[in-house]
Coordinates of all heavy atoms in Angstrom, one line a residue:
S120 N 218.1 64.0 -48.0 CA 217.4 64.8 -46.8 C 216.8 66.1 -47.3 O 215.8 66.6 -46.7 CB 218.5 65.1 -45.8 OG 219.6 66.0 -46.5
N121 N 217.3 66.7 -48.3 CA 216.6 67.9 -48.8 C 215.3 67.7 -49.4 O 214.4 68.4 -49.2 CB 217.6 68.5 -50.0 CG 217.0 70.0 -50.4 OD1 217.1 70.9 -49.8 ND2 216.3 69.9 -51.6
A122 N 215.1 66.5 -50.0 CA 213.8 66.1 -50.6 C 212.8 65.7 -49.4 O 211.7 66.0 -49.5 CB 214.0 64.8 -51.3
V123 N 213.3 65.2 -48.2 CA 212.6 64.9 -47.1 C 212.1 66.3 -46.4 O 211.0 66.5 -46.0 CB 213.1 64.0 -46.2 CG1 212.4 63.8 -44.9 CG2 213.4 62.6 -46.8
K124 N 213.1 67.2 -46.2 CA 212.8 68.4 -45.3 C 211.9 69.2 -46.0 O 211.1 69.8 -45.3 CB 214.2 69.1 -45.1 CG 215.2 68.4 -44.2 CD 216.5 69.2 -44.1 CE 217.5 68.4 -43.3 NZ 218.8 69.3 -43.2
H125 N 211.9 69.3 -47.2 CA 211.1 70.4 -48.0 C 209.9 69.8 -48.6 O 209.2 70.5 -49.3 CB 211.9 71.0 -49.0 CG 213.1 71.7 -48.6 ND1 213.1 73.1 -47.9 CD2 214.5 71.4 -48.4 CE1 214.3 73.5 -47.5 NE2 215.1 72.5 -47.8
N126 N 209.4 68.6 -48.2 CA 208.2 68.1 -48.7 C 207.5 67.4 -47.5 O 208.0 66.8 -46.6 CB 208.5 67.0 -49.8 CG 209.0 67.6 -51.0 OD1 208.3 68.5 -51.6 ND2 210.3 67.3 -51.5
P127 N 206.1 67.4 -47.7 CA 205.3 66.7 -46.6 C 205.4 65.2 -46.7 O 205.8 64.6 -47.8 CB 203.9 67.2 -47.0 CG 203.9 67.5 -48.5 CD 205.2 67.9 -48.8
P128 N 204.9 64.5 -45.8 CA 204.9 63.0 -45.8 C 204.0 62.5 -46.9 O 203.0 63.1 -47.3 CB 204.4 62.6 -44.4 CG 204.7 63.7 -43.6 CD 204.6 65.0 -44.4
G129 N 204.3 61.3 -47.3 CA 203.4 60.7 -48.4 C 204.0 60.9 -49.8 O 203.5 60.3 -50.8
I130 N 205.1 61.6 -50.0 CA 205.7 61.8 -51.4 C 206.5 60.6 -51.7 O 207.0 59.8 -51.0 CB 206.5 63.1 -51.4 CG1 207.7 62.9 -50.7 CG2 205.6 64.3 -51.1 CD1 208.7 64.0 -51.0
T131 N 206.8 60.4 -53.1 CA 207.7 59.5 -53.5 C 208.9 60.0 -54.0 O 209.0 61.0 -54.7 CB 207.0 58.6 -54.6 OG1 205.8 58.1 -54.2 CG2 208.0 57.6 -55.2
I132 N 210.2 59.4 -53.6 CA 211.4 59.9 -54.0 C 212.2 58.8 -54.8 O 212.4 57.7 -54.2 CB 212.3 60.3 -52.7 CG1 211.6 61.3 -51.8 CG2 213.8 60.7 -53.2 CD1 212.2 61.7 -50.5
S133 N 212.4 59.1 -56.0 CA 213.0 58.1 -57.0 C 214.4 58.4 -57.3 O 214.7 59.7 -57.5 CB 212.2 57.9 -58.3 OG 210.9 57.6 -58.0
V134 N 215.4 57.5 -57.2 CA 216.7 57.6 -57.5 C 217.0 56.7 -58.6 O 216.8 55.5 -58.6 CB 217.6 57.4 -56.3 CG1 219.1 57.5 -56.7 CG2 217.3 58.2 -55.2
T135 N 217.7 57.2 -59.7 CA 218.1 56.4 -60.8 C 219.6 56.5 -61.1 O 220.0 57.8 -60.9 CB 217.2 56.6 -62.0 OG1 217.5 58.0 -62.5 CG2 215.9 56.4 -61.8
L136 N 220.2 55.5 -61.6 CA 221.8 55.6 -61.9 C 221.9 55.0 -63.3 O 221.5 53.8 -63.5 CB 222.6 55.0 -60.8 CG 224.0 54.8 -61.3 CD1 224.7 56.2 -61.5 CD2 224.7 54.1 -60.2
T137 N 222.4 55.7 -64.3 CA 222.6 55.2 -65.6 C 224.0 55.5 -66.1 O 224.5 56.5 -65.5 CB 221.6 55.8 -66.6 OG1 221.7 57.2 -66.6 CG2 220.2 55.3 -66.3
R138 N 224.4 54.9 -67.1 CA 225.7 55.1 -67.7 C 225.5 55.7 -69.2 O 224.8 55.0 -69.9 CB 226.7 54.0 -67.7 CG 228.0 54.3 -68.4 CD 228.7 53.0 -68.5 NE 230.1 53.2 -69.0 CZ 231.2 53.2 -68.3 NH1 231.2 53.0 -67.1 NH2 232.4 53.4 -68.9
V139 N 226.0 56.9 -69.6 CA 225.9 57.3 -70.9 C 227.2 57.7 -71.4 O 227.8 58.7 -70.8 CB 225.0 58.7 -70.9 CG1 224.8 59.3 -72.3 CG2 223.6 58.5 -70.3
N140 N 227.6 56.9 -72.4 CA 229.0 57.1 -73.0 C 230.1 56.9 -71.9 O 230.0 55.8 -71.2 CB 229.1 58.3 -73.8 CG 228.2 58.5 -74.9 OD1 227.9 57.5 -75.5 ND2 227.7 59.7 -75.2
D141 N 230.8 58.0 -71.6 CA 231.9 57.9 -70.6 C 231.5 58.6 -69.4 O 232.4 59.2 -68.5 CB 233.1 58.4 -71.0 CG 233.8 57.5 -72.1 OD1 233.5 56.3 -72.1 OD2 234.5 58.0 -73.0
Q142 N 230.1 58.8 -69.1 CA 229.6 59.6 -67.9 C 228.6 58.8 -67.2 O 227.8 58.0 -67.7 CB 229.0 60.9 -68.4 CG 230.1 61.9 -69.0 CD 229.4 63.2 -69.4 OE1 228.2 63.2 -70.0 NE2 230.1 64.3 -69.3
A143 N 228.7 59.1 -65.9 CA 227.6 58.3 -64.9 C 226.6 59.5 -64.6 O 226.9 60.6 -64.2 CB 228.2 57.9 -63.7
C144 N 225.3 59.1 -64.7 CA 224.3 60.1 -64.5 C 223.4 59.6 -63.3 O 222.8 58.6 -63.3 CB 223.4 60.2 -65.7 SG 222.0 61.5 -65.6
I145 N 223.3 60.5 -62.2 CA 222.4 60.2 -61.1 C 221.3 61.2 -61.1 O 221.5 62.5 -61.2 CB 223.1 60.3 -59.7 CG1 224.5 59.5 -59.8 CG2 222.3 60.2 -58.6 CD1 225.3 59.8 -58.5
R146 N 220.0 60.7 -61.1 CA 218.8 61.5 -61.0 C 218.1 61.3 -59.7 O 217.8 60.1 -59.3 CB 217.8 61.2 -62.2 CG 218.5 61.7 -63.5 CD 217.4 61.6 -64.6 NE 217.9 62.1 -65.8 CZ 218.5 61.5 -66.8 NH1 218.9 60.2 -66.5 NH2 219.0 62.2 -67.9
V147 N 217.7 62.4 -59.0 CA 216.9 62.2 -57.7 C 215.7 63.0 -58.0 O 215.6 64.3 -58.2 CB 217.7 62.8 -56.5 CG1 216.9 62.8 -55.3 CG2 219.0 62.1 -56.3
L148 N 214.5 62.3 -58.0 CA 213.2 62.9 -58.5 C 212.2 62.8 -57.4 O 212.0 61.6 -56.8 CB 212.8 62.3 -59.7 CG 211.4 62.6 -60.1 CD1 211.3 64.2 -60.6 CD2 211.0 61.8 -61.4
D149 N 211.5 63.8 -56.9 CA 210.3 63.7 -56.1 C 209.1 64.3 -56.7 O 209.3 65.2 -57.6 CB 210.7 64.3 -54.7 CG 210.9 65.9 -54.8 OD1 209.8 66.6 -55.1 OD2 212.1 66.4 -54.6
N150 N 207.9 64.0 -56.1 CA 206.7 64.6 -56.6 C 205.9 65.4 -55.6 O 204.8 65.5 -55.4 CB 205.7 63.5 -57.0 CG 205.3 62.5 -55.8 OD1 206.2 62.6 -54.8 ND2 204.6 61.6 -56.0
G151 N 206.9 66.2 -54.9 CA 206.4 67.1 -53.8 C 206.0 68.4 -54.2 O 205.5 68.6 -55.4
K152 N 206.3 69.4 -53.4 CA 205.9 70.7 -53.5 C 206.6 71.6 -54.8 O 205.9 72.4 -55.3 CB 206.2 71.7 -52.4 CG 205.3 71.2 -51.1 CD 205.7 72.1 -50.0 CE 204.9 71.8 -48.7 NZ 205.4 72.7 -47.5
G153 N 207.7 71.2 -55.1 CA 208.6 71.9 -56.0 C 209.0 73.2 -55.5 O 208.8 73.5 -54.3

C-alpha cells in the first residue's frame, strides 16, 4: 500500500522471495518517484 499511495498510476511493483542460507529474503521494488 505504501508503494501505491506514494506513486502515480502506471508504475510497476515487483515482489521477489528467495532463500539465502538459513534466511528468507523478501524484496519489494517499484520504479516510482523514489
Side-chain angles (χ1 to χ4, degrees):
S120 64
N121 187 73
V123 171
K124 289 178 183 178
H125 296 280
N126 289 300
I130 69 165
T131 300
I132 302 171
S133 300
V134 180
T135 62
L136 175 63
T137 58
R138 181 189 182 104
V139 180
N140 298 327
D141 293 331
Q142 293 179 323
C144 181
I145 305 172
R146 289 187 175 87
V147 179
L148 174 66
D149 67 66
N150 58 353
K152 293 180 179 181

